Amino acid sequence: MEKLFPKLQIINENGEWNDETYRGEITEELTKELYTKMLRSRLFDRKGVNLQRQGRIGTYVPFEGQEASQIGSAMAMGEGDWMFPTYRDHAATMTFGHSLKTLFLYWKGRQEGCIPPEGKNIFPPAVPIASQLLHATGAAWAEKLKGTDRASIVYFGDGATSEGDFHEGLNFASVFNAPVIFFNQNNGFAISVPIEKQMKSKTIAQKAVAYEMEGVRLDGNDVFAVYFHTRTAVERARKGEGPTLIEAVTWRYGAHTTADDPSKYRNQDESTSRREMTDPILRLERFMKNENMWDEKWAADLQESLTAEIEAAVKEMEETPAPHYNDVFDHVFAENPWPIESQKKAYAHSRGDR
Amino acid sequence: MTTAVDTKKLTMVQAVTDGMRVMMKEQENVIVLGEDVGQNGGVFRATDGLVAEFGEKRVIDTPLAESGIIGTSIGLAMNGFKPIAEMQFLGFIYPAFNQIMTHASRIRARTLGAFTVPMVIRAPFGAGVRAPEIHSDSVEALFTGMPGMKVVVPSNPYDAKGMLISAIEDPDPVLFLEPMRCYRSTKMDVPDGKYNVPLGKAARLQEGDDVTVFAYGAMIDVVMKAAKTAEEKGINCDVIDLRSLYPLDKEMIAESVQKTGRAVIVHEAPGTGGLGETIMSLINDTSFLYMKAPIERVTGFDTPVPMFALEDHYLPSAERVVQAIEKVTQF
Ligand SMILES: Cc1ncc(C[n+]2csc(CCOP(=O)(O)OP(=O)(O)O)c2C)c(N)n1
């Protein structure tokens, strides 16, 4: 099966060409845009970890190492399409339009962190594993029923493929030919469980075969491979040719969450030493140097302006006024039924408020 | 006469581990399974060290699938094993709800006892630890309302170990709920070997004549604070830790309210359909003529547990409990 699903690559670990199909489209402008987005999300991610350590936000879920998978795929989606992220996919959602402030608010335990910007079809992060695959399928199906050419993309990890919802999502999408991209980030671990204990199959892409849909396995640290192959899947979906399962093989350097200690189950030195080979930002930098697109001053300025943007977002997050307790009560139904209304009144009364 | 028993100071989560260890030593067929329970020792370290001691055949990292974990545990339990299945958080039990509702809880009844499911489902639960969304649900009533399930909640390390041992020895499926807020909040002397705290029995934590306060799990701490404040105001509370939510300890509930004539029931789960309603009807059935005041409830709201910036509003506070105590005593 592994042979049937080779790991597609456009640029190799040294930043050299492996597949020149898209040479004409890989312009300096596109490359710089991808690089900017990846660096932006990495700086955001490191800030998230730091803020958690300082007690300024709650548990945070880092993604360092997975930037190419998330950004390459999000870049392939268009205005009006749908995105269904997990708790880890901030690089994808910020690329698709979420503000950094909103993302920080989410990890500050604020309900506002679930609200997308006006006109952006971004679902709240799915915390229960694999539950979102069916929503993506439903939303895509709706677009098909409405006769548009819009598509859905849904993110999930390797562990998620064990849940019933994964199989139900793929099956529904296949039966109803829904325009949905199932985007798997295979980082080899579901918390402590390595992929060999998660499944006997050698690839995730091969699971597409059972559902008679396209399955693609690619190097998830090669942002070009992710971008162009996802774009192809989106084009297929728009033309009514159905869903695609994409397996992006990647690696996350850090902990599962800031509440987790990976040294219990994984050799962290190995993780660090893999960086040379797997770091998607480093790879793009090498490519840019090879292609004479790299400019030290540009890179330094970029670092500075992105840092400033992130600091501003942190400030905005921290200056957001505390929520009112009525938010607990007022959004469960369109109109409060009497039990909630009386609980709300009783609570206000217990505090001496009116 | 006292018998010397070796004890260790343990947190609740360590007591849970110890309970499993004792039973795994005693009975070959006791196995532990779930997500990350092996090498990682569970996300809360409740299974820490068990894989090293008992091996990967008895402490099993499963694929990430709650319906799969519970469904296969049912088969294992029907065929000679005693599975202790860990749900990482109670809020992730929903994919397994179908298996628990349609099979675990009713195989004995469906087969007139020909097949049984002696298994334990362990699940951390409750709010107040600033966990992300869905991790903080208190949905015990979904299971107390499920015919065929026993549901228990310890509130301290001693009870946790003794009740877990009883749950493992129980011939029927038991949902063993572990309040996250109690996992590491206190240490307590816990006997080294095997001992039982029976299921179905409540515990009186404090004697008082004026009002009975019922609670369980993480709410015990809140209620004890409230009882202290009440005492300063001259009101003496009989504080009952329910421990067993299904079945409830009918005798102790009746005995206490017949003495005090007043009751306040506290739980963080939503009020509607919550355990408070069942306790009220039990009091009505057993002790109506003894009551001097209508029963008060202090509960979570009929809303999802909010994200943690708002969770302190959701959770019953000692102040709200004191207000309820005053209300029933001043009636
Ligand atoms: C239904 C459900 N069960 C358990 C969990 C707890 N949990 C959170 S993340 C995780 C591992 C997920 O692994 P994977 O799908 O590979 O995604 P990754 O976190 O590696 O991106 C688990 C078990 C959950 N969130 N939802």
Side-chain angles (χ1 to χ4, degrees), chain B residues 21-208:
Chain B
R21 181 181 296 119
V22 165
M23 292 308 289
M24 290 184 83
K25 265 199 185 139
E26 188 189 278
Q27 296 177 20
E28 276 283 302
N29 64 344
V30 175
I31 57 172
V32 167
L33 71 168
E35 295 156 12
D36 303 289
V37 298
Q39 199 56 39
N40 199 28
V43 292
F44 287 103
R45 304 286 173 263
T47 53
D48 215 13
L50 295 182
V51 75
E53 195 171 344
F54 299 102
E56 289 195 2
K57 277 199 171 142
R58 295 184 65 197
V59 182
I60 306 149
D61 275 329
T62 64
L64 205 177
E66 290 73 17
S67 180
I69 294 166
I70 300 299
T72 56
S73 290
I74 291 171
L76 285 157
M78 287 170 64
N79 196 12
F81 284 86
K82 278 250 175 188
I84 307 174
E86 179 176 293
M87 294 285 106
Q88 218 151 62
F89 291 84
L90 186 63
F92 301 143
I93 205 170
Y94 308 122
F97 192 83
N98 175 34
Q99 285 293 342
I100 304 171
M101 182 67 170
T102 58
H103 296 292
S105 64
R106 63 175 86 192
I107 279 171
R108 182 186 288 276
R110 280 171 64 209
T111 63
L112 299 181
F115 288 107
T116 64
V117 181
M119 66 183 279
V120 177
I121 305 171
R122 294 182 34 248
F125 82 122
V129 297
R130 288 166 62 86
E133 286 189 284
I134 332 264
H135 289 70
S136 308
D137 288 13
S138 270
V139 288
E140 55 271 25
L142 296 180
F143 300 93
T144 55
M146 183 184 276
M149 284 303 290
K150 288 184 182 167
V151 183
V152 301
V153 187
S155 68
N156 62 60
Y158 180 91
D159 283 355
K161 179 173 168 183
M163 285 166 67
L164 182 57
I165 290 171
S166 296
I168 297 167
E169 290 186 323
D170 197 278
D172 286 306
V174 179
L175 178 61
F176 189 85
L177 297 172
E178 299 167 8
M180 278 186 268
R181 266 215 280 181
C182 302
Y183 262 160
R184 296 189 170 87
S185 58
T186 46
K187 282 199 170 188
M188 201 172 174
D189 282 327
V190 174
D192 275 346
K194 183 175 167 184
Y195 64 94
N196 290 82
V197 172
L199 309 185
K201 294 284 174 213
R204 176 175 273 113
L205 301 183
Q206 178 179 311
E207 283 273 2

Side-chain angles (χ1 to χ4, degrees), chain A residues 15-80:
Chain A
E16 294 151 356
W17 290 99
N18 189 9
D19 167 3
E20 307 216 6
T21 315
Y22 301 96
R23 200 185 240 282
E25 289 190 67
I26 299 181
T27 58
E28 180 162 346
E29 194 193 347
L30 175 68
T31 306
K32 282 190 163 165
E33 183 177 1
L34 291 168
Y35 184 89
T36 302
K37 291 199 152 77
M38 287 205 279
L39 186 63
R40 180 173 183 247
S41 70
R42 176 158 299 180
L43 296 173
F44 172 92
D45 193 54
R46 289 188 176 169
K47 192 73 197 178
V49 173
N50 284 338
L51 290 174
Q52 190 281 331
R53 296 223 170 100
Q54 295 164 11
R56 290 158 74 187
I57 59 174
T59 303
Y60 175 76
V61 179
F63 56 80
E64 180 161 344
Q66 300 184 204
E67 293 90 349
S69 290
Q70 294 190 24
I71 287 161
S73 55
M75 282 279 285
M77 303 308 292
E79 206 57 45

Side-chain angles (χ1 to χ4, degrees), chain A residues 106 163 192 198 264 343 347, chain B residues 36 64 66 133 302 313:
Chain A
Y106 182 79
E163 291 277 6
S192 72
Q198 191 69 242
K264 288 277 280 186
Q343 288 168 358
Y347 185 63
Chain B
D36 303 289
L64 205 177
E66 290 73 17
E133 286 189 284
D302 292 3
H313 292 293

Side-chain angles (χ1 to χ4, degrees), chain A residues 92-111:
Chain A
T93 56
M94 72 175 72
T95 300
F96 203 53
H98 251 318
S99 74
L100 304 188
K101 169 191 164 190
T102 307
L103 293 170
F104 281 134
L105 278 176
Y106 182 79
W107 293 113
K108 212 181 174 207
R110 294 290 297 263
Q111 225 75 45

Side-chain angles (χ1 to χ4, degrees), chain A residues 61-62 66 86-89 126-131 156-161 163 184-193 198 252 256-257, chain B residues 35-36 43 64-66 87-89 91-95 135:
Chain A
V61 179
Q66 300 184 204
T86 74
Y87 45 77
R88 199 187 298 289
D89 300 312
V127 171
I129 303 295
S131 52
F156 54 100
D158 37 294
T161 64
E163 291 277 6
N184 172 260
Q185 290 168 82
N186 176 359
N187 61 32
F189 280 91
I191 309 189
S192 72
V193 179
Q198 191 69 242
R252 188 185 64 246
H256 172 74
T257 72
Chain B
E35 295 156 12
D36 303 289
V43 292
L64 205 177
E66 290 73 17
M87 294 285 106
Q88 218 151 62
F89 291 84
F92 301 143
I93 205 170
Y94 308 122
H135 289 70

Side-chain angles (χ1 to χ4, degrees), chain A residues 125-186:
Chain A
V127 171
I129 303 295
S131 52
Q132 73 279 16
L133 274 78
L134 285 152
H135 313 151
T137 300
W141 185 8
E143 293 296 348
K144 187 185 159 201
L145 293 172
K146 290 194 279 188
T148 75
D149 70 348
R150 291 175 174 180
S152 281
I153 186 165
V154 55
Y155 292 91
F156 54 100
D158 37 294
T161 64
S162 295
E163 291 277 6
D165 281 354
F166 165 82
H167 299 278
E168 296 181 29
L170 263 63
N171 190 46
F172 267 65
S174 155
V175 167
F176 297 105
N177 206 41
V180 47
I181 319 304
F182 295 101
F183 194 90
N184 172 260
Q185 290 168 82
N186 176 359

